């Protein structure tokens, strides 16, 4: 039985036993909440394992706050990406229980309040300039309940820095690698570990880097197997995919332990 089916069964049982009104059950079964300018998806967690994520760019602070209200009314975790400090300050005046992460430009449910997975994801970046994208990946995974280990500024121009951490990276179940310039770091790591790699090209680099296009093409053309490439600067996508993989491993482990 899927999580969605379990939820529906629980609601119907509660209605049958008169512990829940029909009106309340209908409200909980609502697929989305129409707040005028947005239709907030309330069943995404049941379908995909995690609630709707708010993309902050292009939305006003007032719009973001209203979407957050709809999510919180449904007892969901909050993850807002690409939100600047000014918008975050406005939202925090209304929802001070949330926390802002300046480097990643993420507003979220407090990380320390979220249970962590037993398996870990490695979040790796080539240089300090790649930190915003790497942190977007790391915090996305953490909000989704994934334990992460960070390995920053270990690019190929000083490859010995990576080798100092490679045994710890190998113990993780998945790696997200953020790199700009020629994007070589993801290929190097893919050739050294036995788990999937999510490569995130960043727009960091001089003119011929073409704002990340060169990095993107280099990562796509890697000869090292086991690498999947995200869009330019898409740290969120890297972190989300890594968390989904960890979540599947956790579910499989729980199923085995229950047998």
């Amino acid at each position: 039985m899927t999580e969605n089916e379990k939820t529906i069964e629980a609601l119907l049982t509660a209605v049958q036993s008169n512990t829940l009104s029909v009106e309340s059950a209908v409200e909980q079964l609502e697929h989305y909440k129409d707040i005028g300018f947005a239709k907030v998806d309330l069943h995404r967690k049941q379908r995909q394992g995690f609630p709707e994520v708010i993309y902050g760019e292009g939305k006003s602070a007032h719009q973001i706050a209203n979407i957050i209200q709809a999510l919180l009314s449904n007892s969901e975790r909050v993850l807002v990406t690409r939100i600047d400090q000014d918008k975050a300050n406005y939202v925090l005046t209304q929802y001070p229980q949330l926390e802002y992460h300046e480097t990643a430009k993420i507003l979220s449910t407090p990380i320390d309040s979220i249970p962590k997975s037993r398996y870990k994801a490695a979040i790796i970046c080539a240089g300090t300039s790649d930190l915003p994208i790497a942190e977007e990946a790391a915090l996305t995974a953490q909000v989704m309940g994934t334990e992460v280990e960070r390995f920053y500024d270990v690019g190929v121009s000083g490859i010995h820095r990576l080798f100092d951490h490679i045994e710890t990276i190998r113990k993780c179940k998945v790696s997200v690698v953020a790199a700009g310039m020629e994007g070589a770091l993801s290929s190097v790591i893919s050739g050294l570990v036995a788990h999937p790699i999510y490569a995130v090209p960043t727009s960091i680099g001089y003119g011929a880097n073409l704002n990340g296009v060169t990095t993107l093409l280099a990562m796509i053309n890697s000869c090292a197997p086991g690498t999947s490439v995200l869009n330019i600067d898409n740290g969120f996508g890297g972190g989300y995919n890594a968390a989904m993989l960890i979540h599947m491993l956790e579910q499989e482990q729980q199923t085995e332990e229950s047998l």
Side-chain angles (χ1 to χ4, degrees), residues 65-257:
N66 283 349
I67 297 172
I68 288 173
Q69 181 182 25
L71 291 172
L72 290 177
S73 67
N74 204 47
S75 302
E76 304 286 18
R77 290 181 198 168
V78 172
L79 175 59
V80 186
T81 65
R82 304 297 170 96
I83 177 171
D84 62 37
Q85 184 76 64
D86 290 341
K87 290 180 184 178
N89 288 341
Y90 173 85
V91 174
L92 287 170
T93 62
Q94 300 190 43
Y95 302 103
Q97 71 270 35
L98 302 178
E99 62 184 17
Y100 185 59
H101 310 273
E102 184 178 0
T103 300
K105 293 185 177 180
I106 277 178
L107 184 71
S108 73
T109 297
I111 300 299
D112 290 342
S113 70
I114 299 170
K116 298 177 177 63
S117 61
R118 73 182 79 185
Y119 299 122
K120 295 180 180 181
I123 310 297
I124 308 166
C125 77
T128 305
S129 296
D130 302 309
L131 271 175
I133 306 305
E135 274 297 284
E136 184 179 65
L139 289 162
T140 295
Q142 286 182 301
V143 174
M144 294 177 70
T146 297
E147 178 77 13
V148 306
E149 288 213 35
R150 292 167 167 85
F151 305 91
Y152 291 169
D153 197 23
V154 292
V156 296
S157 61
I159 199 70
H160 55 289
R161 300 171 299 179
L162 173 65
F163 294 151
D164 285 342
H165 302 287
I166 194 62
E167 291 305 323
T168 307
I169 294 171
R170 283 172 172 157
K171 293 176 183 177
C172 296
K173 297 298 183 181
V174 59
S175 288
V176 180
V177 183
M181 301 292 186
E182 85 288 13
L185 184 60
S186 61
S187 292
V188 171
I189 294 173
S190 186
L192 294 171
V193 302
H195 60 238
I197 303 290
Y198 290 111
V200 182
T202 72
S203 53
I204 300 301
Y206 295 104
N209 173 261
L210 303 177
N211 293 318
V213 173
T214 297
T215 314
L216 172 67
L217 295 176
M219 287 178 167
I220 289 173
N221 284 285
S222 172
C223 66
T227 299
S228 299
V229 184
L230 279 295
N231 205 348
I232 299 168
D233 290 339
N234 189 9
F236 163 75
Y240 196 102
N241 286 356
M244 288 182 71
L245 189 148
I246 294 294
H247 182 63
M248 287 191 296
L249 292 174
E250 295 270 299
Q251 286 185 319
E252 289 175 1
Q253 185 65 37
Q254 290 171 9
T255 299
E256 290 178 6
E257 290 173 355

Side-chain angles (χ1 to χ4, degrees), residues 31-35 38-43 52 66-68 70-71:
H31 288 278
Y32 65 88
K33 189 173 186 66
D34 192 340
I35 56 175
K39 295 178 177 62
V40 184
D41 188 348
L42 301 179
H43 276 204
E52 180 171 358
N66 283 349
I67 297 172
I68 288 173
L71 291 172

